[in-house]
């Protein structure tokens, strides 16, 4: 890719990420092009469909989420590492309003590969942390990574329109992970 084309590509991705964070996955393509300082034709030359643009935005964010999982795998507390990663997943879901759902809708409507790679990356990253937590007896052995990700997504869906959605998601995730019973005091 020529240097100017690469700059346009990067500006489009950054503008799309900001627009999705503000307006959700249905953010206006014209607005994204305007924010990126490119014409609509340039946007469509790089990303022939909304789905391809959303997947590119999502892939960058998923790669960062997977890198977080890899970094946490080196932490000494497997249970805490898994909980920290699930909180990172919740931040990811809240920040990328409707992005994953839109990608999965696109996968069902047309190209099954859309969103599938990112989904697999998240499952694999979380499964490694979960397996480590299970080996340390920090998590029940009957819990699957799909269970945990479904829980995180349900929590995020429940608070997605709240002004303090991230704080509420974090609080609800803590309740889900620790239970509603009082925690023993450390005295």
């Amino acid at each position: 890719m020529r240097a100017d084309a690469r700059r346009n590509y990067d500006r489009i991705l950054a503008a799309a990420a900001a627009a999705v964070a503000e307006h959700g996955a249905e953010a206006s393509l014209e607005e994204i092009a305007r924010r990126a300082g490119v014409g609509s034709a340039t946007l469509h030359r790089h990303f022939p469909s909304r789905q391809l643009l959303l997947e590119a935005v999502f892939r960058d964010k998923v790669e960062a989420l997977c890198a977080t999982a890899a970094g946490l795998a080196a932490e000494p507390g497997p249970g805490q590492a898994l909980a920290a990663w699930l909180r990172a997943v919740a931040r990811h879901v809240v920040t990328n309003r409707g992005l994953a759902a839109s990608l999965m809708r696109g996968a069902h409507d047309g190209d099954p590969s859309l969103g599938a790679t990112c989904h697999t990356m998240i499952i694999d990253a979380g499964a490694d942390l979960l397996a480590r937590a299970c080996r340390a007896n920090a998590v029940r052995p009957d819990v699957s990574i799909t269970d945990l990700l479904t829980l995180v997504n349900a929590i995020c869906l429940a608070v997605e329109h709240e002004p303090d959605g991230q704080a509420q998601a974090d609080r609800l995730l803590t309740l889900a992970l620790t239970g509603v019973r009082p925690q023993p005091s450390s005295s």
Side-chain angles (χ1 to χ4, degrees):
M1 194 179 290
R2 290 186 345 236
D4 61 332
R6 184 65 194 178
R7 279 191 303 275
N8 285 343
Y9 180 90
D10 292 342
R11 287 196 324 239
I12 293 167
L13 274 182
V20 166
E22 288 177 35
H23 305 290
E26 298 305 316
S28 162
L29 294 179
E30 290 75 25
E31 173 67 13
I32 291 168
R34 187 189 64 70
R35 284 183 183 200
V38 301
S40 183
T42 300
L43 183 143
H44 288 288
R45 201 170 24 259
H46 286 286
F47 301 100
S49 72
R50 173 183 294 275
Q51 290 300 113
L52 291 173
L53 174 60
L54 293 177
E55 186 172 78
V57 169
F58 196 57
R59 181 181 303 279
D60 281 352
K61 294 175 182 283
V62 167
E63 286 172 352
L65 195 56
C66 291
T68 298
L72 287 167
E75 295 292 317
Q80 293 88 349
L82 178 62
W85 186 73
L86 291 171
R87 283 186 177 77
V89 171
R91 278 190 305 278
H92 168 79
V93 172
V94 168
T95 304
N96 297 294
R97 299 175 17 206
L99 188 54
S102 179
L103 285 171
M104 294 317 288
R105 232 183 353 266
H108 295 302
D109 293 345
D111 184 350
S113 68
L114 288 173
T117 301
C118 291
H119 180 74
T120 300
M121 290 167 60
I122 290 171
I123 294 288
D124 292 347
D128 290 344
L129 288 171
L130 177 60
R132 189 169 167 260
C134 284
R135 284 192 302 273
N137 292 319
V139 176
R140 293 175 15 188
D142 62 329
V143 173
S144 74
I145 193 59
T146 305
D147 293 338
L148 294 174
L149 292 173
T150 299
L151 178 66
V152 169
N153 281 315
I155 288 170
C156 293
L157 182 62
V159 301
E160 82 176 341
H161 296 295
E162 299 297 325
D164 61 345
Q166 183 57 59
Q168 286 188 4
D170 192 54
R171 182 179 153 279
L172 291 171
L173 184 56
T174 297
L175 279 172
L177 294 174
T178 61
V180 295
R181 289 174 279 149
Q183 298 301 308
S185 63
S186 57
S187 48

